[in-house]
Amino acid sequence: MSRNVRFLVCGLPAILMGVAAFQAGLMDDAYIFCRYAENLISGLGAVFNPDERVEGYTSPLHMLLIAAGAATGVPAWQMARALPLFAAVATIWLVGFVKTRSDDSPLVGPIAAVLTAASMPFALWATTGMDTSLFALAVTAAVLALERSAPGQVSAPVWLLAGATFLVRPEGAVVLAAAAALAWRPRQGLSVAAGLVPIAALTLFRLAYYGVPLPNTFYAKVDGGGLALFGRGLLYVLDALIRLLPLAAVAAVAAWRYRQRSFAMVIALGLMGAAVFEGGDHFSMHRFFVPVIPLLALVAAREITSRTATAGQALAVGLGLALVLGPWTMFAPSLPDGSGQSMRRRFRGEISQSMLFDEVGQQLAAALGPDHDAAMLTVGAIPYRTRWKVIDLLGLTDGNIARTTKALGHGTAGHEKFDSAYVLGRRPELILLYPWFWSSPVADDKVRTIPFLHEAQKDLLRSPRFEREYRLQWVKLPGGFVALYRRV
């Protein structure tokens, strides 16, 4: 690899960091990892609320790494902010410098790294504090290790690495299964079994500690799904492919022309299938495709280098595709979702909303103190800052609501299960309908008619028990007034 090309690949992380600095901000759900991490190192255990063993986080490894940083004195939220960015940069370096096939051009890695960094979903999700970039790193490392091995000759440590992606997200099981479908041979039974070790170990821990084999988020978001859930997931995948169209089109041509059965392509297709099974995601900018992007970039880079006559032509085509890909992934049209907003605007709105929740949480903690129990819809920044005991109205951190029987696929992904009777039966002291700063107190009926209230909140308001037991109370904070319903 020439010095100029190496310099280009090494400069990509700086570009990514620049994007991160521009877009910096944690998603509200990232604070869930932070709360679990701080509870773990404080001796409460891997719990959201004391004495409630519910696995309301999706990535054990992401949570443990945040906890490890917090144990050294780094605030958990700062660790959550740094970890995904580090993982994204490491992913680019892996793609750029690790040559996997002997017949690959030396430019395959650099071009794939350029295409990965140019994809805005990859860069933007590196700033959110979520487990997305760490999963992309784990998947990329596994794929590169697999591709350095000939099918049928994959060693046990490589299978172990593939299975270890399950420690980051449950979709890691798909990575192992897709790899085994391509490379398993009868004489490799014991080697492939090494990949099952991390999956079996984590499953046994979950059964022993939480009493269930899968994270609570699975039961809240996927359990009970059917054709409607899969239909929504298929639309999600199609929308993501539109956003990644320049990259996906070149990768598709490569797969068709060579009938490529590479690990990168097979595992990418497996992760797309997992997104269909899960019914898509409610966040914008397609986080489920972030681990797919380096794999498509690798396949596309091979196609570019095989179609061009010289290294200069290959590099020019790769950079040209990256220049198209960057703006396209940011501004491409999306399938209608009824929001009336572009994907880019929705993503920035989600970050801004999370920053507001963080501010509300800090001010509520200062004004009211930690000794309260509450029910609310947004269970990230506010519970993290207040330290209140919180009932999650959507069940991500509550096992009872997560196991509510309900047909999924007709509403917003991950926001379909609720149980008002159960919530009111637990008699929370406070109910926070919406964490918003009001300029002045308004009548109770004005709070109830906020146009963006969720159905779970509306269902609470319709309950006769709520009418009997709760009264609106305005809390004056430095940022404005917050509306709380307090049990009388």
Side-chain angles (χ1 to χ4, degrees):
M1 185 186 297
S2 71
R3 181 179 298 179
N4 290 336
V5 173
R6 187 179 294 273
F7 176 79
L8 176 64
V9 174
C10 291
L12 288 173
I15 298 173
L16 185 63
M17 290 178 187
V19 174
F22 172 74
Q23 187 63 51
L26 298 182
M27 283 290 184
D28 190 60
D29 285 22
Y31 291 95
I32 297 177
F33 288 108
C34 296
R35 174 151 164 153
Y36 273 94
E38 291 194 351
N39 283 344
L40 178 62
I41 63 175
S42 69
L44 294 175
V47 296
F48 189 77
N49 291 320
D51 302 322
E52 293 182 14
R53 291 194 177 185
V54 179
E55 189 182 3
Y57 55 94
T58 310
S59 174
L61 185 58
H62 187 64
M63 188 275 288
L64 289 173
L65 289 174
I66 294 174
T72 66
V74 179
W77 67 271
Q78 289 186 4
M79 189 67 187
R81 186 171 177 175
L83 180 60
L85 186 57
F86 171 82
V89 171
T91 302
I92 292 174
W93 278 339
L94 275 181
V95 171
F97 287 108
V98 176
K99 185 176 180 180
T100 59
R101 292 181 173 182
S102 59
D103 59 341
D104 274 350
S105 163
L107 288 176
V108 167
I111 291 174
V114 170
L115 295 175
T116 299
S119 303
M120 286 298 103
F122 184 89
L124 293 177
W125 275 102
T127 70
T128 62
M130 299 289 282
D131 56 349
T132 311
S133 298
L134 183 62
F135 188 51
L137 174 61
V139 171
T140 301
V143 168
L144 293 177
L146 286 162
E147 294 210 335
R148 289 174 70 89
S149 309
Q153 299 178 5
V154 181
S155 64
V158 175
W159 286 118
L160 182 64
L161 179 61
T165 58
F166 185 76
L167 302 179
V168 186
R169 283 191 63 89
E171 296 92 336
V174 175
V175 174
L176 180 63
L182 178 60
W184 181 80
R185 302 292 186 273
R187 65 178 184 276
Q188 277 223 313
L190 291 178
S191 296
V192 176
L196 297 175
V197 172
I199 297 176
L202 180 55
T203 302
L204 289 173
F205 166 77
R206 282 174 168 150
L207 287 170
Y209 192 79
Y210 295 111
V212 290
L214 292 169
N216 193 64
T217 49
F218 168 83
Y219 300 101
K221 297 181 178 182
V222 180
D223 188 32
L227 291 179
L229 185 73
F230 302 155
R232 188 179 65 201
L234 182 59
L235 289 176
Y236 176 85
V237 169
L238 292 175
D239 197 34
L241 290 175
I242 291 173
R243 185 152 304 278
L244 297 170
L245 185 59
L247 177 61
V250 177
V253 168
W256 177 258
R257 189 161 75 100
Y258 297 110
R259 303 295 195 274
Q260 278 198 23
R261 299 183 66 225
S262 67
F263 286 104
M265 181 56 72
V266 171
I267 290 174
L269 291 173
L271 292 173
M272 293 182 203
V276 172
F277 174 78
E278 294 169 349
D281 185 39
H282 71 283
F283 287 117
S284 56
M285 276 296 171
H286 300 104
R287 63 171 173 146
F288 288 169
F289 265 69
V290 169
V292 175
I293 288 172
L295 310 186
L296 295 181
L298 187 60
V299 174
R302 287 177 178 148
E303 175 69 2
I304 290 170
T305 55
S306 68
R307 291 274 193 140
T308 49
T310 66
Q313 289 178 355
L315 191 59
V317 173
L319 291 175
L321 180 59
L323 290 174
V324 172
L325 182 63
W328 180 267
T329 54
M330 181 63 84
F331 298 104
S334 299
L335 297 178
D337 66 352
S339 68
Q341 294 182 324
S342 68
M343 188 74 73
R344 178 178 62 91
R345 186 174 179 182
R346 281 178 53 201
F347 185 86
R348 292 181 64 86
E350 289 163 356
I351 294 293
S352 298
Q353 190 178 59
S354 176
M355 294 171 67
L356 171 67
F357 296 163
D358 190 10
E359 185 178 358
V360 171
Q362 293 184 60
Q363 294 188 19
L364 282 173
L368 302 181
D371 298 323
H372 299 279
D373 62 284
M376 63 185 72
L377 198 74
T378 52
V379 296
I382 294 176
Y384 173 71
R385 295 298 187 182
T386 60
R387 312 306 302 171
W388 294 351
K389 184 175 182 178
V390 169
I391 303 172
D392 179 2
L393 295 180
L394 298 178
L396 296 182
T397 61
D398 187 281
N400 292 279
I401 295 176
R403 288 165 182 75
T404 301
T405 302
K406 183 177 174 64
L408 302 179
H410 303 283
T412 302
H415 289 65
E416 296 177 279
K417 291 188 176 183
F418 54 89
D419 188 344
S420 298
Y422 162 77
V423 171
L424 294 172
R426 288 187 56 176
R427 306 181 74 221
E429 175 193 353
L430 304 171
I431 293 178
L432 180 59
L433 278 188
Y434 201 77
W436 200 266
F437 286 127
W438 297 68
S439 58
S440 62
V442 297
D444 184 47
D445 58 353
K446 293 290 184 64
V447 176
R448 295 167 183 255
T449 56
I450 296 173
F452 34 80
L453 286 181
H454 187 272
E455 186 59 34
Q457 298 162 316
K458 295 177 183 177
D459 194 61
L460 273 176
L461 293 173
R462 289 192 291 262
S463 170
R465 183 169 183 176
F466 179 87
E467 292 289 347
R468 292 194 307 268
E469 298 184 6
Y470 288 86
R471 296 292 180 269
L472 178 62
Q473 175 188 349
W474 288 97
V475 180
K476 179 69 170 68
L477 301 174
F481 293 88
V482 171
L484 288 173
Y485 285 86
R486 184 180 292 273
R487 184 167 55 83
V488 295

